[in-house]
Amino acid sequence: MPRLRLALAQMNPVVGSVDANTDAVVEQARAAHAAGAHLFVTPEMVLTGYPIEDMAYRATFIEASRAAVAALATRLVDEGLGDLVVVVGHLDTAKDATLANLPDRLGVPKNQPTNSASVVTGGRVVARYDKHHLPNYGVFDEFRHFVPGDETQVVQVKGVDVAIAICEDIWQDGPSAAADAAEAGLLVVLNGSPYEAAKDDTRLELCARRAREGQCALAYVNMVGGQDELVFDGDSIVVDSGGELVARAGQFVEELVVVDLDLPAATAPMPEPGTRFHGLRVERTIVSTDHAEPVAEPLRPEPAERWDDAGERYQAIVLGLRDYVRKNGFRTVLMGLSGGIDSTLVGAIAVDALGPENVFGVSNPSAWSTEHSLGDAGELARRTGLTLDNVPIAGIFDTFQESLHLDGLAEENLQARIRAVIWMGLSNQHGHLVLACGNKSELATGYSTIYGDAVGGYAPIKDLPKTLVWELSRWRNAWAEQRGETPPIPENAISKEPSAELRPGQLDSDSLPPYELLDAVLDAYVERDLGATEVIAEGFDPALVERVVTLVDRAEYKRRQYPPGPKVSRRNFGRDRRLPITTRWRESL
Amino acid sequence: MPRLRLALAQMNPVVGSVDANTDAVVEQARAAHAAGAHLFVTPEMVLTGYPIEDMAYRATFIEASRAAVAALATRLVDEGLGDLVVVVGHLDTAKDATLANLPDRLGVPKNQPTNSASVVTGGRVVARYDKHHLPNYGVFDEFRHFVPGDETQVVQVKGVDVAIAICEDIWQDGPSAAADAAEAGLLVVLNGSPYEAAKDDTRLELCARRAREGQCALAYVNMVGGQDELVFDGDSIVVDSGGELVARAGQFVEELVVVDLDLPAATAPMPEPGTRFHGLRVERTIVSTDHAEPVAEPLRPEPAERWDDAGERYQAIVLGLRDYVRKNGFRTVLMGLSGGIDSTLVGAIAVDALGPENVFGVSNPSAWSTEHSLGDAGELARRTGLTLDNVPIAGIFDTFQESLHLDGLAEENLQARIRAVIWMGLSNQHGHLVLACGNKSELATGYSTIYGDAVGGYAPIKDLPKTLVWELSRWRNAWAEQRGETPPIPENAISKEPSAELRPGQLDSDSLPPYELLDAVLDAYVERDLGATEVIAEGFDPALVERVVTLVDRAEYKRRQYPPGPKVSRRNFGRDRRLPITTRWRESL
């Protein structure tokens, strides 16, 4: 049985930075080669970054990506890495044969872009696979941006047949079955698979199932890092043909995993031209047939430990914020610190992501701010080392009111907007990125001020319902205690009753149902997309459901009228372009 | 040759208002029946409104749409309209046979929604067609939201074979060819086709070409009205089998077109079960075979006159604004009136859309506002009758600066943001929708203040480059003169040099290239999606291109960091969800 030494590069590319991404691939390939690897695999679209959205259509960008693949082949040889077999993800343009086979009913995006993986070795591109299944749901728009491939690529490396798939290809039926039929010994899968909360261990289960179905080992290489609206969590996996876990990379960290696999020698003959499995043409390329039998213990690094549910969410938010700041050319952030739990948690997250020297808080007390609010913000600053400034708003508020004479909600919102003007002024003057501190329960119900507390370039906890804001705050403090550190979050910020403090004695519970109930209904109506009648059928009080649904629908209208606020996503962490379901239509209850 | 009296209902449905839309269909059907029509055709998805985006996935919404079709069938009989043959657009769920035929590589959206047209007559739904070609480019996301149909429906009405298609189906090859092969005498096409500037007469040319290809008459029924980001322009068309224009509805108005067509009698036999044309199963239904030969002159209404290019754009903006305000439950609008041409044109448009009694302007002079600015805003108010208020900002500005001490750009932005706080305060107090007055040249280059002049729920002229702002202003005044009315726009607002007036003596030309050049480069780089090297190849000065591309890319970053501003679309009028090309990647020039 031939032994293959496989290197999986769990990398963090930057969308659009083709040169820097290529440099990073070469660096990882160098390390893999030094570790004696034969086969080196990157994440999906590592050369361009992912997701590239409508940049896929730009001819000059496609050309830059193609040129980067060719340059990579040459550079690997120049650096003495020419014998390494590299499978690299990139943007390309569809093959003529693929275009000729497209069903009549499918449109073709401009310049025929493809989501591709090239096999590069010996200074040449020896094979290219184009992703078949283009996901078009949730955060994915790939069917819009790419032409689907219609070939299966099998490459013989050191006497082992290696098949290739990209991400969604193994979530749908098709290519892994084709890999099986093509009798491959190993299926390598390049991924840009974003983190989802409470996904359980779906990926490992899927990899194990596909390995057993295909009767071949499977190596799943994922991207890591925050990119725009998404956070990729890494967690790359290798399983054997029985579906048993062989290796696993960490979550939310860059890592190179090198592992030995003993795999069946290739025996399948070259297929007849035009052979098809599951509707896909099979292409076969021989890179190297020589192989050595194992003589020593195989290299088997210990699988990485995984975070628990709360830890996973917290790390996803920290990484998403850090990369958003860095990839957009910022260094420092600024946020309003009210002493409430939302902005307090955001302050702690920002310090974890960027270091205390890069985090700036502002307290903006009004006539109705309570003493403990200022005290709690100050306590957070003392514990974490972030810089806290104080700009009271009462005088500015009075000057506005001399002209405007607003009352009620308009008067409440005025205070929130004055604060936002101050944050943005400091942002423009000093170059800080403003963070919005709203949580998902608030944003979904519209319990926030457009152009007020909703202001900011990034909203770290916008995917956390209020009940999870409390849970992650407690988790963060407990994690500090485990490590013998000072818990960053003042206990009073966690335990006090939530209030917007925009009028005397105001409490969230004046306007909203208790958060435990609210979050449960939001989970059904927003996350799980149920209709109101279906939510009631789950056993919730009809009056409560009617109240929450009305709040969400009105908030949705408000967001539409005033696009600004951070958008509420469903399950995906990080940022999300898509609004929750458009609630223009009201069911009669 | 049988004569068919055809009624096309160019309607303006509201997304989500299933009951009101159904009522409107019945009302139009009543008028069509009274006019002696045999066949009545609505626009695409008229019962649910269009586009419904991710509401397509909600099971209870699909059910409501299906129930509306069934209720419509009953109601037509109850109202004595049971003999009318109604082709009505709606949301449905895919047929089992269609799902079984889907290619392996295509995902299926949740609850299998379809974009459908049902044939309703005699109290029953006798046939249902599902759209085949689901556009997935520009403003369309249909492949994401719907399952494609795989049947061609031919329905015999009064002895004439009538085939059905929906919108994109005739822009791609396929169904019209199938209609030809099925030997239909008439192809009816239900549309939700948005207005595009400078589209020329593409639709008439396409209808004529498909009619000649299919050797059958073609009736193209379009939606009209503003819906969210889109404006539908109507302009429904009937051509004969030679491609000659027979009837045409007006642009930007609701209308019922009734016309007589002399068409070949159906001769094709019922097809064998399983017959396919162009990959589509052919279904044939006989509603009525009886027909009378023509005895009098056919009913042939005069085709509507069309607007010229500038008039078309102006009417599209007026209708888009009117429907956005109305469909979102507002009645009045408020905008900052600086005396500059952008806000002046928006004021004139708002008065045309909503009447002067519903339009409120605010002047917010600063220490650096010029005399003529206030004078020009006042002159607009006198000419149009809108209400103008005056809230100076110098005092508020000074109070902010006592705490903040901002300078440079931060100080300029502070003024713009104070204005926005005033507008939003008045909006919250009085219920006005705030209009943002930025033009496309400004927005594309980032020459505006996030949370300042970019604030607003709707941005009427965000698709107009500055040179077109001037052109439409002149057009509006000339149109008034033609009709013997007072030109609404003060001449000085058109002729003076553009300035943001955020520092003494400031002019746009300090920061931007001359607008004629700027707009030409923006057209190439943003509208036509060319790479920078391709723009230079068109003959523009490389230094100018470099400057504009840098401005656009930086503005794009700014929009990403601060999502709020109205987004810049490409060719579509109204609002557009999509950003221009994501410019994370910079070409080396």
Side-chain angles (χ1 to χ4, degrees):
Chain A
M1 228 178 197
R3 174 168 294 174
L4 203 64
R5 182 160 287 185
L6 174 67
L8 311 184
Q10 182 166 294
M11 296 174 62
N12 187 351
V14 179
V15 162
S17 300
V18 178
D19 291 346
N21 296 337
T22 309
D23 288 349
V25 169
V26 172
E27 190 186 317
Q28 293 294 307
R30 206 181 290 129
H33 193 264
H38 307 121
L39 179 63
F40 169 85
V41 188
T42 74
E44 183 175 7
M45 297 201 87
V46 73
L47 293 184
T48 53
Y50 178 87
I52 58 169
E53 303 188 13
D54 57 0
M55 283 171 67
Y57 307 143
R58 188 162 277 198
T60 49
F61 191 57
I62 297 174
E63 201 31 64
S65 174
R66 290 168 55 91
V69 178
L72 176 66
T74 310
R75 247 179 100 178
L76 291 171
V77 171
D78 292 348
E79 301 220 9
L81 314 171
D83 56 337
L84 192 63
V85 181
V86 172
V87 187
V88 64
H90 61 98
L91 171 68
D92 214 302
T93 189
K95 302 174 184 180
D96 291 341
T98 301
L99 291 172
N101 278 327
L102 274 185
D104 213 19
R105 282 172 294 164
L106 306 183
V108 177
K110 187 177 165 193
N111 292 322
Q112 300 96 39
T114 52
N115 179 334
S116 302
S118 281
V119 182
V120 174
T121 192
R124 290 195 313 123
V125 178
V126 298
R128 189 186 112 204
Y129 172 91
D130 299 334
K131 188 173 184 176
H132 306 141
H133 282 290
L134 300 172
N136 215 36
Y137 54 82
V139 299
F140 302 108
D141 262 325
E142 291 203 15
F143 196 86
R144 181 180 174 96
H145 296 131
F146 299 113
V147 176
D150 67 340
E151 292 175 347
T152 282
Q153 293 287 345
V154 180
V155 179
Q156 195 175 131
V157 181
K158 295 275 166 196
V160 175
D161 273 349
V162 179
I164 301 167
I166 300 179
C167 206
E168 188 77 3
D169 286 336
I170 66 161
W171 293 84
Q172 309 293 333
D173 292 327
S176 68
D180 171 23
E183 296 175 42
L186 172 67
L187 176 62
V188 295
V189 189
L190 294 76
N191 300 273
S193 172
Y195 172 65
E196 281 185 27
K199 212 178 185 176
D200 296 324
D201 214 354
T202 332
R203 278 190 200 133
L204 177 57
E205 285 162 27
L206 177 76
C207 288
R209 180 154 61 86
R210 293 303 185 199
R212 286 190 299 266
E213 284 171 11
Q215 298 178 39
C216 64
L218 190 152
Y220 179 101
V221 192
N222 197 16
M223 190 170 283
V224 70
Q227 180 68 56
D228 303 326
E229 301 157 339
L230 302 175
V231 178
F232 300 94
D233 55 335
D235 190 27
S236 299
I237 287 169
V238 180
V239 293
D240 66 21
S241 61
E244 292 301 311
L245 185 67
V246 172
R248 186 161 206 173
Q251 296 171 286
F252 310 109
V253 288
E254 290 189 80
E255 193 171 332
L256 181 72
V257 177
V258 183
V259 61
D260 282 336
L261 296 175
D262 296 329
L263 298 167
T267 52
M270 295 297 281
E272 294 295 308
T275 308
R276 286 178 173 268
F277 293 122
H278 293 259
L280 304 171
R281 289 195 307 280
V282 179
E283 297 287 332
R284 196 180 281 273
T285 308
I286 294 179
V287 171
S288 52
T289 54
D290 59 305
H291 60 80
E293 298 295 327
V295 290
E297 278 302 296
L299 188 63
R300 286 287 166 91
E302 195 66 26
E305 278 200 46
R306 308 186 75 223
W307 293 96
D308 64 14
D309 255 14
E312 222 179 54
R313 286 179 210 251
Y314 192 87
Q315 300 303 331
I317 296 172
V318 168
L319 180 59
L321 173 60
R322 181 187 298 136
D323 278 353
Y324 193 83
V325 170
R326 178 176 68 86
K327 293 183 181 179
N328 280 294
F330 283 89
R331 201 175 49 82
T332 56
V333 295
L334 177 143
M335 74 213 69
L337 286 179
S338 70
I341 188 58
D342 298 323
S343 59
T344 303
L345 178 60
V346 169
I349 288 167
V351 169
D352 285 341
L354 307 164
E357 67 282 12
N358 294 315
V359 180
F360 295 82
V362 196
S363 283
N364 299 117
S366 74
W368 301 309
S369 295
T370 52
E371 271 307 310
H372 65 74
S373 301
L374 278 170
D376 291 339
E379 179 62 20
L380 171 73
R382 272 187 295 282
R383 291 178 181 214
T384 59
L386 63 76
T387 303
L388 180 64
D389 201 357
N390 187 29
V391 183
I393 63 164
I396 300 170
F397 175 79
D398 291 342
T399 320
F400 270 106
Q401 283 290 58
E402 281 166 26
S403 315
L404 296 179
H405 315 294
L406 305 177
D407 54 29
L409 207 58
E411 185 183 14
E412 293 184 29
N413 285 337
L414 174 59
Q415 300 164 67
R417 292 195 180 111
I418 290 170
R419 292 183 175 124
V421 171
I422 292 170
W423 307 335
M424 288 304 298
L426 296 172
S427 161
N428 286 163
Q429 188 80 27
H430 303 293
H432 311 306
L433 178 73
V434 175
L435 301 184
C437 296
N439 64 61
K440 184 162 191 166
S441 312
E442 269 178 22
L443 293 170
T445 54
Y447 194 65
S448 77
T449 302
I450 298 282
Y451 308 125
D453 56 309
V455 154
Y458 193 79
I461 61 168
K462 77 164 187 48
D463 292 309
L464 289 182
K466 186 79 174 189
T467 46
L468 274 179
V469 170
W470 283 311
E471 186 186 328
L472 293 204
S473 299
R474 289 195 200 94
W475 179 90
R476 179 64 185 82
N477 276 0
W479 188 45
E481 276 164 5
Q482 273 171 30
R483 300 188 299 172
E485 296 170 359
T486 310
I489 298 169
E491 189 50 43
N492 191 47
I494 302 178
S495 58
K496 70 185 168 190
E497 252 206 286
S499 164
E501 298 197 339
L502 292 171
R503 60 171 189 263
Q506 184 177 35
L507 292 176
D508 288 12
S509 52
D510 303 340
S511 309
L512 298 175
Y515 279 113
E516 286 68 23
L517 278 174
L518 174 61
D519 287 355
V521 175
L522 289 176
D523 179 69
Y525 189 61
V526 177
E527 304 281 333
R528 289 187 283 130
D529 239 13
L530 299 182
T533 43
E534 295 168 311
V535 180
I536 292 169
E538 293 203 344
F540 291 98
D541 173 33
L544 169 73
V545 173
E546 172 68 26
R547 184 174 169 206
V548 174
V549 162
T550 303
L551 285 169
V552 171
D553 292 359
R554 284 203 190 132
E556 171 67 17
Y557 269 95
K558 202 164 72 170
R559 261 194 300 278
R560 287 201 158 234
Q561 292 146 15
Y562 296 100
K567 291 169 181 171
V568 178
S569 71
R570 297 221 179 79
R571 306 190 59 188
N572 286 81
F573 260 58
R575 294 154 61 85
D576 188 317
R577 265 158 314 143
R578 303 218 166 252
L579 290 166
I581 193 153
T582 36
T583 43
R584 292 308 179 81
W585 168 74
R586 295 296 310 277
E587 282 169 70
S588 42
L589 293 179
Chain B
M1 229 180 196
R3 173 168 293 176
L4 203 64
R5 183 161 287 186
L6 174 68
L8 311 184
Q10 182 166 296
M11 295 174 63
N12 186 352
V14 179
V15 162
S17 299
V18 177
D19 292 346
N21 296 337
T22 309
D23 288 349
V25 169
V26 172
E27 189 186 318
Q28 293 294 308
R30 206 182 289 127
H33 193 264
H38 307 121
L39 179 64
F40 169 84
V41 188
T42 74
E44 184 175 7
M45 296 200 89
V46 75
L47 292 184
T48 53
Y50 178 88
I52 58 169
E53 303 189 14
D54 57 359
M55 284 171 68
Y57 307 143
R58 188 163 275 198
T60 49
F61 190 57
I62 297 174
E63 200 33 62
S65 173
R66 290 169 55 90
V69 178
L72 176 66
T74 311
R75 247 179 100 181
L76 291 171
V77 171
D78 292 348
E79 301 220 9
L81 314 172
D83 57 336
L84 192 63
V85 181
V86 172
V87 187
V88 64
H90 62 98
L91 172 68
D92 215 301
T93 189
K95 302 174 184 179
D96 291 341
T98 301
L99 291 172
N101 278 326
L102 274 184
D104 213 19
R105 280 172 294 164
L106 306 183
V108 177
K110 186 177 167 192
N111 292 321
Q112 301 95 40
T114 52
N115 179 334
S116 302
S118 280
V119 182
V120 174
T121 192
R124 291 193 314 121
V125 178
V126 297
R128 189 186 113 204
Y129 171 91
D130 299 334
K131 188 173 183 175
H132 305 141
H133 282 289
L134 300 172
N136 216 36
Y137 54 82
V139 298
F140 302 108
D141 262 324
E142 292 203 14
F143 196 85
R144 181 181 176 96
H145 296 132
F146 299 113
V147 176
D150 66 340
E151 293 175 347
T152 281
Q153 292 287 345
V154 180
V155 179
Q156 194 174 133
V157 181
K158 295 276 167 195
V160 176
D161 273 348
V162 179
I164 301 168
I166 300 179
C167 207
E168 187 77 3
D169 287 335
I170 66 161
W171 293 83
Q172 309 293 332
D173 292 328
S176 68
D180 171 24
E183 296 176 42
L186 172 67
L187 175 63
V188 297
V189 189
L190 293 78
N191 300 274
S193 173
Y195 172 64
E196 281 184 28
K199 211 177 185 175
D200 297 324
D201 214 354
T202 331
R203 279 190 199 131
L204 177 57
E205 285 162 27
L206 177 76
C207 289
R209 181 154 61 88
R210 293 303 185 198
R212 286 190 300 265
E213 284 171 11
Q215 298 178 39
C216 65
L218 189 152
Y220 179 102
V221 192
N222 197 16
M223 191 169 281
V224 70
Q227 181 68 56
D228 303 327
E229 302 158 337
L230 301 175
V231 178
F232 300 95
D233 55 336
D235 190 26
S236 299
I237 288 168
V238 181
V239 294
D240 66 22
S241 61
E244 291 301 310
L245 184 67
V246 173
R248 187 161 206 171
Q251 296 170 287
F252 310 109
V253 289
E254 290 189 80
E255 193 171 333
L256 182 71
V257 177
V258 183
V259 62
D260 283 335
L261 296 175
D262 297 329
L263 299 167
T267 52
M270 295 297 280
E272 295 295 308
T275 307
R276 286 180 172 267
F277 293 123
H278 293 260
L280 305 171
R281 289 195 307 280
V282 179
E283 296 288 331
R284 196 179 283 272
T285 309
I286 295 179
V287 171
S288 51
T289 53
D290 59 304
H291 61 80
E293 298 295 328
V295 290
E297 279 301 297
L299 188 63
R300 287 284 166 92
E302 195 67 27
E305 278 201 46
R306 309 187 74 224
W307 294 96
D308 63 13
D309 255 14
E312 221 178 55
R313 287 179 209 250
Y314 192 87
Q315 300 303 330
I317 295 172
V318 168
L319 180 58
L321 172 60
R322 180 187 299 135
D323 278 354
Y324 193 83
V325 170
R326 178 176 69 87
K327 292 182 181 180
N328 281 294
F330 283 89
R331 202 176 48 82
T332 56
V333 294
L334 177 142
M335 75 213 67
L337 285 179
S338 69
I341 189 57
D342 298 322
S343 60
T344 302
L345 178 61
V346 169
I349 287 167
V351 169
D352 285 340
L354 306 164
E357 68 281 12
N358 294 316
V359 180
F360 295 81
V362 196
S363 283
N364 299 117
S366 73
W368 301 309
S369 295
T370 51
E371 272 307 311
H372 65 77
S373 300
L374 279 169
D376 290 340
E379 179 63 19
L380 171 73
R382 272 188 295 282
R383 291 179 181 213
T384 59
L386 63 78
T387 303
L388 180 64
D389 202 356
N390 186 28
V391 183
I393 64 164
I396 300 170
F397 175 79
D398 291 342
T399 320
F400 269 106
Q401 283 291 57
E402 282 166 25
S403 314
L404 296 179
H405 315 293
L406 305 177
D407 54 30
L409 207 57
E411 184 183 14
E412 293 185 29
N413 285 337
L414 175 59
Q415 300 163 67
R417 293 195 180 111
I418 290 170
R419 291 183 174 123
V421 171
I422 293 170
W423 307 336
M424 287 303 298
L426 296 171
S427 161
N428 286 163
Q429 188 79 27
H430 303 293
H432 311 306
L433 178 73
V434 175
L435 301 184
C437 296
N439 64 61
K440 185 163 191 165
S441 312
E442 268 177 22
L443 293 170
T445 53
Y447 195 65
S448 77
T449 301
I450 299 282
Y451 307 124
D453 56 309
V455 154
Y458 194 80
I461 60 168
K462 77 164 187 48
D463 292 309
L464 289 183
K466 187 79 175 188
T467 46
L468 274 179
V469 170
W470 282 311
E471 186 185 328
L472 292 205
S473 298
R474 288 195 201 94
W475 179 90
R476 180 62 186 84
N477 276 358
W479 189 43
E481 275 164 6
Q482 273 171 30
R483 301 187 300 173
E485 295 170 0
T486 309
I489 297 170
E491 190 49 43
N492 191 47
I494 303 179
S495 58
K496 70 184 167 191
E497 251 206 286
S499 164
E501 298 197 341
L502 292 172
R503 60 170 190 262
Q506 183 178 34
L507 292 176
D508 289 11
S509 53
D510 302 340
S511 310
L512 298 175
Y515 279 114
E516 286 67 24
L517 278 176
L518 173 62
D519 287 356
V521 175
L522 289 176
D523 179 69
Y525 188 61
V526 176
E527 305 281 332
R528 289 188 283 130
D529 240 13
L530 299 183
T533 42
E534 295 167 311
V535 179
I536 292 169
E538 293 203 345
F540 291 98
D541 174 32
L544 169 73
V545 173
E546 173 68 26
R547 184 175 170 203
V548 174
V549 162
T550 303
L551 286 169
V552 171
D553 291 359
R554 283 202 191 134
E556 172 67 16
Y557 268 96
K558 201 162 74 169
R559 260 194 302 277
R560 288 203 156 231
Q561 291 146 14
Y562 295 99
K567 292 168 180 173
V568 177
S569 70
R570 299 222 178 76
R571 308 189 58 189
N572 287 80
F573 261 56
R575 294 156 59 84
D576 188 318
R577 263 155 320 136
R578 301 211 170 260
L579 291 167
I581 194 153
T582 36
T583 42
R584 291 308 179 83
W585 168 73
R586 294 297 310 278
E587 281 170 70
S588 41
L589 293 179

